[in-house]
Amino acid sequence: MINTRIDKLLGIAWLNKYRSDHRAIFAIALPMILSNIAAPLLGLVDTAIIGHLDHNIYLGAVALGAMVVSFTYLLAIFLRMSTTAEAAHAFGAGDEQAIRQLLIHALLICIGLGVVLLSAAPWLVKLAWWLIQPSADLAELAGQYIQIRLLAAPAALINLAVLGILLGQQRSKQAMSLIILMNLVNLAADVVLVIGLQLNVIGAAWASVIAESTVAMVGLVWLRQWLILPSKWRIEPAKLKQFVHMNGDIFVRSLLLQLCMATMTGYAAKFGTVVVAANAVLMQFLMLISLGLDGIAYAVEALVGAARGRKDRQQIRHWMKLTLTWSALFALVYCLAFALTGNWIITQITHLPDVITTAQTYLPWLIALPLLAHWSYYYDGVFVGLGLTRGMRNSMAISALGVFLPAVLVSQWLLAKNNANHGLWLALSLFLLARGITQAYLLRRYKIIHQD
């Protein structure tokens, strides 16, 4: 009896009861956590190798160009999320033809959108420079980098769709392998083109193009079982239209999210360069949070989506409860870790005394943020798994336009200038919490949890 109570207190009985289910969650989550760690290395490798060349302008050009390209592709994340949703549904239903059709639809959108990005490259560069206003020399080199990188736009978008298919089928180890392969190919190409042939910025750009194109080809080879019979390829206008609408919903959601995140740096410019730098340091804490919480969200997408394909409401609720528990546990661990090591993390990111002192002033917001933010990560996974992309869009619009924007404006009006940055962090905290609340409310309206 005593041992049973101790087991319950420690959660051991809960872990033992659903041991295989916990393994299923982490079979998806852990590879994707590792992938989240590896993904930023594509730009980091370019930056590290270029950073050892003789002229600073090369490093600035690659860093600036990589930022513009990354932001562009980040807005296209809707391709990965919508493809995961539909692939998981088809996987749960055991519908091979639906997966084949989804892949064909996704490839059509990827190639079409990729060609549009490639064609629009000169205008994207002009828009970026209008916003950033770099020096003429820096703009020229970074512009060359961007236009070369966008030659691989169709391949980069295909990679998002391939990842979506793999995740929807719960093949997360293969998804991780693709991301690792991209970094290895990029590193090898950088060594040859930048160091060996001394092509500098142009070499770094072509290295990334080679890496993205190689991974796209490997990914399509892995999915060849749905591509080798052209006679079975079908384009169904109604389903393609529905898929396009799903992508549109997630695009709006992603755009609003990125604008809110950009405000944390852009608006802070009013408070001086030290505050801007401190906020940039603290935003790295959000990146650390996303490493773990995104991994759980990927597991939610795949497992809930497969249960949706089987039309098993009880299984949907079961996966939601288990993954919510892990999401909350991750959040608690993050809070504790930031409370104990937050000051040390700041000093590892920067050595500037003023920036360190300022960042430490706002660190309490980051200590509390995981508990406020994990709901939005978790519910994003649930909504993707259930294919409720319109709900994702609407909850984001309410949170961004109805909570974040008013909170920024009101806090700046009420707070003195030396405390105004607290208003930004308050607005971000309320925004993330509002996303979770609105998504929970919408989910109740969809009657997924409380009605059989």
Side-chain angles (χ1 to χ4, degrees), residues 189-440:
D190 267 331
V191 170
V192 173
L193 297 175
V194 178
I195 297 177
L197 299 179
Q198 297 184 345
L199 294 178
N200 302 327
V201 173
I202 292 175
W206 279 111
S208 295
V209 169
I210 292 169
E212 289 164 336
S213 301
T214 300
V215 167
M217 288 187 288
V218 172
L220 291 176
V221 169
W222 285 356
L223 301 182
R224 64 188 180 278
Q225 68 192 89
W226 296 296
L227 295 173
I228 58 177
L229 296 174
S231 60
K232 292 189 176 183
W233 295 1
R234 295 178 184 174
I235 299 175
E236 294 192 13
K239 290 188 177 181
L240 178 58
K241 182 179 179 180
Q242 179 186 2
F243 188 56
V244 170
H245 283 166
M246 289 179 67
N247 282 292
D249 291 336
I250 302 175
F251 170 75
V252 173
R253 169 256 181 206
S254 299
L255 179 61
L256 289 171
L257 176 60
Q258 293 308 313
L259 289 175
C260 290
M261 293 298 114
T263 300
M264 293 300 297
T265 299
Y267 199 92
K270 296 176 62 176
F271 312 141
T273 56
V274 173
V275 173
V276 171
N279 279 7
V281 168
L282 293 174
M283 291 300 283
Q284 302 310 305
F285 283 72
L286 282 179
M287 185 193 73
L288 294 173
I289 292 171
S290 70
L291 294 179
L293 296 184
D294 267 343
I296 299 298
Y298 286 130
V300 179
E301 292 174 15
L303 295 169
V304 169
R308 175 173 70 104
R310 292 189 291 269
K311 299 181 180 180
D312 189 338
R313 282 175 171 259
Q314 183 176 353
Q315 194 69 11
I316 289 173
R317 292 194 292 269
H318 172 70
W319 288 122
M320 286 175 61
K321 289 177 182 178
L322 287 189
T323 52
L324 175 58
T325 302
W326 281 114
S327 180
L329 287 173
F330 269 59
L332 286 170
V333 170
Y334 273 118
C335 289
L336 182 61
F338 290 167
L340 296 176
T341 67
N343 290 325
W344 176 82
I345 293 173
I346 291 171
T347 59
Q348 299 308 299
I349 298 174
T350 181
H351 66 278
L352 301 172
D354 289 347
V355 176
I356 291 173
T357 301
T358 303
Q360 289 172 339
T361 300
Y362 303 105
L363 180 60
W365 290 106
L366 277 304
I367 295 173
L369 208 57
L371 285 177
L372 302 176
H374 89 94
W375 298 97
S376 60
Y377 287 90
Y378 163 76
Y379 278 120
D380 272 354
V382 171
F383 273 62
V384 169
L386 295 176
L388 302 176
T389 56
R390 183 176 297 180
M392 289 180 68
R393 181 201 64 191
N394 293 345
S395 66
M396 181 63 74
I398 292 169
S399 303
L401 303 178
V403 177
F404 180 77
L405 182 60
V408 169
L409 297 176
V410 172
S411 65
Q412 302 312 298
W413 176 55
L414 291 176
L415 296 175
K417 185 175 181 180
N418 60 337
N419 288 319
N421 196 47
H422 281 293
L424 282 183
W425 286 105
L426 172 63
L428 181 64
S429 300
L430 292 175
F431 163 68
L432 293 170
L433 182 60
R435 285 182 60 200
I437 292 173
T438 54
Q439 286 172 310

Side-chain angles (χ1 to χ4, degrees), residues 161-183:
V162 169
L163 287 175
I165 296 285
L166 293 175
L167 286 171
Q169 292 189 298
Q170 302 179 24
R171 295 161 63 181
S172 56
K173 289 183 180 178
Q174 284 186 294
M176 178 184 67
S177 298
L178 283 181
I179 295 172
I180 293 173
L181 175 64
M182 184 179 297
N183 286 285

